[in-house]
Amino acid sequence: MLLRTLQEHAARAQPAAHVQEEGGWWLRHSPGDAWWVSAVLPHDREDRVARAEEFCAERGSGVRFQITPGVCADDLDARLDGRGYARGHDMSLQIASTAEVIRQAHADAGEVTARPTDEWLAAWQAVTTRDVSAERDLLSRVEHPSAYAYAEVDGQVVAVGRAVAEQGWAGVFGMATLPHARGQGAARSVLAALASWAAAREANHMYLQMEKANSSAFRLYERTGFREVCTYHYRIRPQPIRNQEGTSGGAELGFAP
């Protein structure tokens, strides 16, 4: 199924430090990374909620499930709601033809490197405010071909993004534009560069994930040929899970993509 395939591609493009597969469920733990990197992917119809909770409790972390209609069990969302899990914001999974992104970007392509430079990471961190050393570690775990694109204005890196290619698809991640450079085509240049890189590697389709409420990003991707194929959300338990010894792990709340 396309949705499951793309979300598993995305999980490998944002690899958790620890992954344990239980049937079709991916139990993930990645301290220091964005919280969604540790979200459970419940990708079959078996009920493994208790096992996922145990996995997270053993590691002292909160529990988060990525809920995608048609991929998860039909009643999983309702069952988690009944167990006290809060519902996160709606997310959007979007796809595009790589050739269409190149055609619609209407921008000179930015530069592409095979590894993130200090300048790339500095621009990314200025927008996301997340820890650079943790991001370096995450990026070092990516096993598939990757590209790091950036756009400059007056010698300063003002927009960045990365792509990971796998089985004819290129996923887009880490898109970030400095506030003073927004609305000037820098993000389009980054997308154009990533699409050109993808085309050269015979990744003829692209995908991305974003928070649905981010209207400015939604418009950018719509104008560059992306279309939504599904929405999904997270279920996040707002209180710690206690393990068998009675100790509790902290539960971190957040609703970023």
Side-chain angles (χ1 to χ4, degrees):
M1 168 181 272
L2 176 63
L3 302 183
R4 174 173 175 166
T5 295
L6 293 182
Q7 291 192 331
E8 292 180 358
H9 282 358
R12 284 187 285 269
Q14 302 176 99
H18 308 284
V19 181
Q20 184 172 317
E21 292 192 41
E22 298 272 350
W25 288 46
W26 292 28
L27 312 182
R28 303 188 293 169
H29 179 61
S30 206
D33 291 319
W35 63 263
W36 55 87
V37 177
S38 294
V40 174
L41 301 183
H43 286 180
D44 71 16
R45 305 291 166 153
E46 296 296 323
D47 183 353
R48 294 186 172 86
V49 171
R51 176 66 191 106
E53 291 177 343
E54 179 185 20
F55 174 89
C56 294
E58 289 169 351
R59 291 156 179 79
S61 65
V63 192
R64 310 160 184 90
F65 291 86
Q66 184 172 308
I67 305 298
T68 305
V71 177
C72 305
D74 295 339
D75 64 342
L76 179 59
D77 192 46
R79 286 193 285 115
L80 292 174
D81 182 53
R83 292 170 74 92
Y85 283 79
R87 190 185 195 280
H89 294 176
D90 285 339
M91 309 297 296
S92 177
L93 174 62
Q94 303 192 11
I95 65 173
S97 157
T98 301
E100 185 69 5
V101 175
I102 294 172
R103 188 176 74 84
Q104 295 285 3
H106 298 306
D108 293 332
E111 301 296 324
V112 174
T113 61
R115 295 178 178 81
T117 63
D118 290 342
E119 293 79 9
W120 191 101
L121 285 164
W124 173 88
Q125 196 276 336
V127 176
T128 66
T129 70
R130 298 207 298 273
D131 182 72
V132 167
S133 61
E135 186 70 5
R136 283 186 188 275
D137 288 343
L138 181 149
L139 296 176
S140 72
R141 297 193 294 267
V142 179
E143 297 180 353
H144 292 280
S146 300
Y148 297 84
Y150 61 92
E152 291 182 324
V153 174
D154 297 329
Q156 179 192 17
V157 174
V158 298
V160 297
R162 69 182 178 98
V164 180
E166 182 178 356
Q167 295 181 351
W169 287 88
V172 177
F173 305 91
M175 291 289 293
T177 304
L178 298 182
H180 71 271
R182 291 173 186 166
Q184 301 175 35
R188 283 176 176 254
S189 293
V190 168
L191 277 176
L194 294 177
S196 295
W197 174 87
R201 281 148 189 82
E202 297 184 349
N204 295 324
H205 296 88
M206 303 179 74
Y207 70 92
L208 57 84
Q209 300 163 297
M210 59 165 291
E211 189 171 343
K212 196 171 174 68
N214 188 340
S215 57
S216 59
F218 209 96
R219 288 193 298 271
L220 167 67
Y221 299 133
E222 184 177 49
R223 290 196 298 265
T224 49
F226 285 88
R227 63 178 180 86
E228 183 176 273
V229 290
C230 80
T231 60
Y232 64 97
H233 60 276
Y234 293 92
R235 282 287 179 178
I236 304 174
R237 189 149 183 173
Q239 72 272 4
I241 298 294
R242 294 189 177 275
N243 64 22
Q244 293 177 348
E245 289 72 35
T247 59
S248 60
E252 174 190 355
L253 282 176
F255 298 113

Tab-separated table of all heavy atoms in Angstrom, residues 173-209:
chain	number	residue	atom	x	y	z
A	173	PHE	N	12.611	16.713	3.452
A	173	PHE	CA	12.648	16.929	4.894
A	173	PHE	C	13.446	18.191	5.210
A	173	PHE	O	14.213	18.682	4.388
A	173	PHE	CB	13.309	15.733	5.615
A	173	PHE	CG	12.666	14.420	5.296
A	173	PHE	CD1	13.119	13.653	4.231
A	173	PHE	CD2	11.604	13.957	6.040
A	173	PHE	CE1	12.530	12.429	3.922
A	173	PHE	CE2	10.998	12.743	5.737
A	173	PHE	CZ	11.455	11.988	4.683
A	174	GLY	N	13.276	18.682	6.422
A	174	GLY	CA	14.123	19.755	6.922
A	174	GLY	C	14.012	21.064	6.173
A	174	GLY	O	14.955	21.865	6.190
A	175	MET	N	12.883	21.340	5.539
A	175	MET	CA	12.725	22.610	4.841
A	175	MET	C	12.657	23.750	5.863
A	175	MET	O	11.860	23.720	6.801
A	175	MET	CB	11.460	22.596	3.994
A	175	MET	CG	11.515	21.657	2.804
A	175	MET	SD	12.622	22.242	1.488
A	175	MET	CE	11.736	23.706	0.920
A	176	ALA	N	13.507	24.736	5.691
A	176	ALA	CA	13.554	25.857	6.628
A	176	ALA	C	14.068	27.095	5.911
A	176	ALA	O	15.040	27.026	5.159
A	176	ALA	CB	14.468	25.528	7.811
A	177	THR	N	13.404	28.220	6.132
A	177	THR	CA	13.799	29.496	5.525
A	177	THR	C	13.897	30.552	6.615
A	177	THR	O	12.983	30.681	7.444
A	177	THR	CB	12.776	29.952	4.472
A	177	THR	OG1	12.609	28.931	3.494
A	177	THR	CG2	13.238	31.240	3.784
A	178	LEU	N	14.989	31.301	6.639
A	178	LEU	CA	15.137	32.361	7.633
A	178	LEU	C	14.017	33.390	7.461
A	178	LEU	O	13.614	33.691	6.325
A	178	LEU	CB	16.498	33.033	7.485
A	178	LEU	CG	17.731	32.142	7.718
A	178	LEU	CD1	19.004	32.963	7.583
A	178	LEU	CD2	17.672	31.473	9.083
A	179	PRO	N	13.501	33.931	8.544
A	179	PRO	CA	12.336	34.830	8.457
A	179	PRO	C	12.490	35.975	7.477
A	179	PRO	O	11.567	36.299	6.730
A	179	PRO	CB	12.184	35.327	9.904
A	179	PRO	CG	12.736	34.213	10.736
A	179	PRO	CD	13.882	33.656	9.944
A	180	HIS	N	13.671	36.612	7.431
A	180	HIS	CA	13.823	37.788	6.578
A	180	HIS	C	13.858	37.432	5.089
A	180	HIS	O	13.740	38.319	4.235
A	180	HIS	CB	15.096	38.567	6.951
A	180	HIS	CG	16.364	37.875	6.562
A	180	HIS	ND1	17.022	36.978	7.388
A	180	HIS	CD2	17.108	37.941	5.416
A	180	HIS	CE1	18.110	36.546	6.791
A	180	HIS	NE2	18.192	37.109	5.587
A	181	ALA	N	14.004	36.127	4.780
A	181	ALA	CA	14.105	35.712	3.375
A	181	ALA	C	12.831	35.058	2.865
A	181	ALA	O	12.782	34.631	1.709
A	181	ALA	CB	15.284	34.755	3.203
A	182	ARG	N	11.812	35.008	3.664
A	182	ARG	CA	10.583	34.324	3.242
A	182	ARG	C	9.824	35.143	2.202
A	182	ARG	O	9.874	36.377	2.210
A	182	ARG	CB	9.707	34.034	4.460
A	182	ARG	CG	10.323	32.981	5.359
A	182	ARG	CD	9.593	32.773	6.665
A	182	ARG	NE	10.343	31.846	7.514
A	182	ARG	CZ	10.120	31.657	8.810
A	182	ARG	NH1	9.149	32.337	9.414
A	182	ARG	NH2	10.856	30.800	9.499
A	183	GLY	N	9.155	34.422	1.310
A	183	GLY	CA	8.383	35.087	0.276
A	183	GLY	C	9.207	35.619	-0.876
A	183	GLY	O	8.691	36.363	-1.717
A	184	GLN	N	10.481	35.237	-0.954
A	184	GLN	CA	11.364	35.741	-2.003
A	184	GLN	C	11.869	34.641	-2.938
A	184	GLN	O	12.783	34.876	-3.732
A	184	GLN	CB	12.557	36.469	-1.355
A	184	GLN	CG	12.145	37.638	-0.459
A	184	GLN	CD	13.323	38.265	0.255
A	184	GLN	OE1	14.436	38.345	-0.294
A	184	GLN	NE2	13.104	38.707	1.485
A	185	GLY	N	11.302	33.462	-2.834
A	185	GLY	CA	11.659	32.393	-3.758
A	185	GLY	C	12.774	31.488	-3.305
A	185	GLY	O	13.148	30.552	-4.040
A	186	ALA	N	13.304	31.688	-2.096
A	186	ALA	CA	14.419	30.852	-1.636
A	186	ALA	C	13.985	29.404	-1.455
A	186	ALA	O	14.705	28.474	-1.844
A	186	ALA	CB	14.995	31.419	-0.342
A	187	ALA	N	12.817	29.190	-0.864
A	187	ALA	CA	12.339	27.817	-0.658
A	187	ALA	C	12.083	27.125	-1.989
A	187	ALA	O	12.341	25.929	-2.140
A	187	ALA	CB	11.080	27.827	0.193
A	188	ARG	N	11.590	27.876	-2.972
A	188	ARG	CA	11.392	27.296	-4.303
A	188	ARG	C	12.724	26.851	-4.904
A	188	ARG	O	12.817	25.822	-5.562
A	188	ARG	CB	10.719	28.301	-5.225
A	188	ARG	CG	9.213	28.459	-4.997
A	188	ARG	CD	8.658	29.555	-5.905
A	188	ARG	NE	7.217	29.673	-5.782
A	188	ARG	CZ	6.345	29.251	-6.684
A	188	ARG	NH1	6.769	28.675	-7.789
A	188	ARG	NH2	5.049	29.400	-6.496
A	189	SER	N	13.764	27.644	-4.698
A	189	SER	CA	15.084	27.271	-5.205
A	189	SER	C	15.570	25.982	-4.571
A	189	SER	O	16.162	25.124	-5.234
A	189	SER	CB	16.091	28.397	-4.930
A	189	SER	OG	15.791	29.541	-5.688
A	190	VAL	N	15.315	25.829	-3.277
A	190	VAL	CA	15.706	24.603	-2.587
A	190	VAL	C	14.931	23.411	-3.149
A	190	VAL	O	15.504	22.356	-3.438
A	190	VAL	CB	15.481	24.755	-1.071
A	190	VAL	CG1	15.605	23.411	-0.370
A	190	VAL	CG2	16.472	25.752	-0.482
A	191	LEU	N	13.614	23.560	-3.313
A	191	LEU	CA	12.811	22.473	-3.880
A	191	LEU	C	13.268	22.124	-5.292
A	191	LEU	O	13.332	20.948	-5.663
A	191	LEU	CB	11.336	22.861	-3.895
A	191	LEU	CG	10.550	22.652	-2.603
A	191	LEU	CD1	9.133	23.189	-2.759
A	191	LEU	CD2	10.510	21.171	-2.223
A	192	ALA	N	13.568	23.147	-6.094
A	192	ALA	CA	14.036	22.892	-7.458
A	192	ALA	C	15.333	22.101	-7.452
A	192	ALA	O	15.529	21.176	-8.261
A	192	ALA	CB	14.220	24.216	-8.204
A	193	ALA	N	16.220	22.427	-6.519
A	193	ALA	CA	17.492	21.710	-6.432
A	193	ALA	C	17.279	20.268	-6.008
A	193	ALA	O	17.888	19.342	-6.563
A	193	ALA	CB	18.415	22.425	-5.445
A	194	LEU	N	16.403	20.059	-5.040
A	194	LEU	CA	16.134	18.694	-4.579
A	194	LEU	C	15.456	17.871	-5.668
A	194	LEU	O	15.753	16.684	-5.844
A	194	LEU	CB	15.273	18.730	-3.317
A	194	LEU	CG	15.930	19.346	-2.080
A	194	LEU	CD1	14.938	19.397	-0.920
A	194	LEU	CD2	17.184	18.572	-1.671
A	195	ALA	N	14.551	18.501	-6.418
A	195	ALA	CA	13.875	17.789	-7.504
A	195	ALA	C	14.859	17.424	-8.617
A	195	ALA	O	14.790	16.322	-9.178
A	195	ALA	CB	12.727	18.629	-8.048
A	196	SER	N	15.756	18.318	-8.941
A	196	SER	CA	16.760	18.009	-9.970
A	196	SER	C	17.655	16.870	-9.524
A	196	SER	O	17.998	15.976	-10.320
A	196	SER	CB	17.591	19.262	-10.269
A	196	SER	OG	16.786	20.269	-10.839
A	197	TRP	N	18.047	16.892	-8.266
A	197	TRP	CA	18.851	15.798	-7.713
A	197	TRP	C	18.073	14.481	-7.788
A	197	TRP	O	18.615	13.442	-8.183
A	197	TRP	CB	19.223	16.134	-6.270
A	197	TRP	CG	19.935	15.029	-5.550
A	197	TRP	CD1	21.281	14.777	-5.544
A	197	TRP	CD2	19.342	14.009	-4.724
A	197	TRP	NE1	21.554	13.668	-4.761
A	197	TRP	CE2	20.386	13.184	-4.246
A	197	TRP	CE3	18.026	13.728	-4.342
A	197	TRP	CZ2	20.149	12.093	-3.408
A	197	TRP	CZ3	17.793	12.644	-3.514
A	197	TRP	CH2	18.841	11.836	-3.046
A	198	ALA	N	16.795	14.513	-7.411
A	198	ALA	CA	15.967	13.303	-7.443
A	198	ALA	C	15.848	12.753	-8.860
A	198	ALA	O	15.961	11.542	-9.085
A	198	ALA	CB	14.585	13.601	-6.863
A	199	ALA	N	15.616	13.641	-9.816
A	199	ALA	CA	15.478	13.206	-11.203
A	199	ALA	C	16.750	12.524	-11.699
A	199	ALA	O	16.692	11.522	-12.428
A	199	ALA	CB	15.131	14.395	-12.088
A	200	ALA	N	17.893	13.030	-11.290
A	200	ALA	CA	19.163	12.451	-11.718
A	200	ALA	C	19.366	11.058	-11.153
A	200	ALA	O	20.163	10.270	-11.683
A	200	ALA	CB	20.320	13.361	-11.308
A	201	ARG	N	18.647	10.740	-10.092
A	201	ARG	CA	18.753	9.414	-9.465
A	201	ARG	C	17.526	8.554	-9.741
A	201	ARG	O	17.269	7.584	-9.045
A	201	ARG	CB	18.983	9.585	-7.961
A	201	ARG	CG	20.448	9.915	-7.689
A	201	ARG	CD	20.639	10.804	-6.488
A	201	ARG	NE	22.040	11.231	-6.446
A	201	ARG	CZ	22.523	12.249	-7.170
A	201	ARG	NH1	21.739	12.917	-7.996
A	201	ARG	NH2	23.800	12.583	-7.080
A	202	GLU	N	16.775	8.940	-10.762
A	202	GLU	CA	15.599	8.190	-11.216
A	202	GLU	C	14.557	8.039	-10.110
A	202	GLU	O	13.815	7.054	-10.069
A	202	GLU	CB	16.009	6.819	-11.766
A	202	GLU	CG	16.912	6.940	-12.995
A	202	GLU	CD	17.250	5.591	-13.609
A	202	GLU	OE1	16.960	4.563	-12.974
A	202	GLU	OE2	17.781	5.567	-14.734
A	203	ALA	N	14.501	9.007	-9.210
A	203	ALA	CA	13.407	9.094	-8.232
A	203	ALA	C	12.358	9.991	-8.870
A	203	ALA	O	12.423	11.229	-8.772
A	203	ALA	CB	13.906	9.667	-6.913
A	204	ASN	N	11.417	9.386	-9.560
A	204	ASN	CA	10.485	10.149	-10.391
A	204	ASN	C	9.293	10.714	-9.637
A	204	ASN	O	8.463	11.412	-10.219
A	204	ASN	CB	9.998	9.265	-11.540
A	204	ASN	CG	11.122	8.888	-12.482
A	204	ASN	OD1	12.030	9.695	-12.726
A	204	ASN	ND2	11.101	7.669	-12.997
A	205	HIS	N	9.208	10.405	-8.354
A	205	HIS	CA	8.138	10.944	-7.529
A	205	HIS	C	8.717	11.448	-6.209
A	205	HIS	O	9.730	10.937	-5.737
A	205	HIS	CB	7.072	9.882	-7.261
A	205	HIS	CG	6.364	9.429	-8.499
A	205	HIS	ND1	6.841	8.390	-9.276
A	205	HIS	CD2	5.235	9.881	-9.103
A	205	HIS	CE1	6.026	8.225	-10.316
A	205	HIS	NE2	5.056	9.107	-10.233
A	206	MET	N	8.060	12.438	-5.634
A	206	MET	CA	8.512	13.024	-4.380
A	206	MET	C	7.367	13.001	-3.374
A	206	MET	O	6.191	12.961	-3.753
A	206	MET	CB	8.998	14.465	-4.607
A	206	MET	CG	10.097	14.563	-5.644
A	206	MET	SD	10.661	16.266	-5.953
A	206	MET	CE	11.620	16.558	-4.449
A	207	TYR	N	7.714	13.034	-2.109
A	207	TYR	CA	6.698	13.103	-1.056
A	207	TYR	C	7.210	13.979	0.076
A	207	TYR	O	8.417	14.217	0.214
A	207	TYR	CB	6.348	11.706	-0.525
A	207	TYR	CG	7.450	11.050	0.283
A	207	TYR	CD1	7.507	11.192	1.672
A	207	TYR	CD2	8.441	10.294	-0.336
A	207	TYR	CE1	8.520	10.602	2.411
A	207	TYR	CE2	9.447	9.696	0.401
A	207	TYR	CZ	9.488	9.854	1.777
A	207	TYR	OH	10.490	9.279	2.503
A	208	LEU	N	6.307	14.451	0.880
A	208	LEU	CA	6.662	15.220	2.068
A	208	LEU	C	5.539	15.117	3.082
A	208	LEU	O	4.412	14.745	2.756
A	208	LEU	CB	6.952	16.683	1.721
A	208	LEU	CG	5.872	17.503	1.009
A	208	LEU	CD1	4.857	18.096	1.989
A	208	LEU	CD2	6.502	18.620	0.186
A	209	GLN	N	5.862	15.446	4.327
A	209	GLN	CA	4.902	15.459	5.422
A	209	GLN	C	4.949	16.827	6.082
A	209	GLN	O	6.026	17.374	6.293
A	209	GLN	CB	5.257	14.376	6.451
A	209	GLN	CG	5.266	12.964	5.889
A	209	GLN	CD	6.006	12.002	6.803
A	209	GLN	OE1	7.194	12.142	7.031
A	209	GLN	NE2	5.285	11.023	7.332
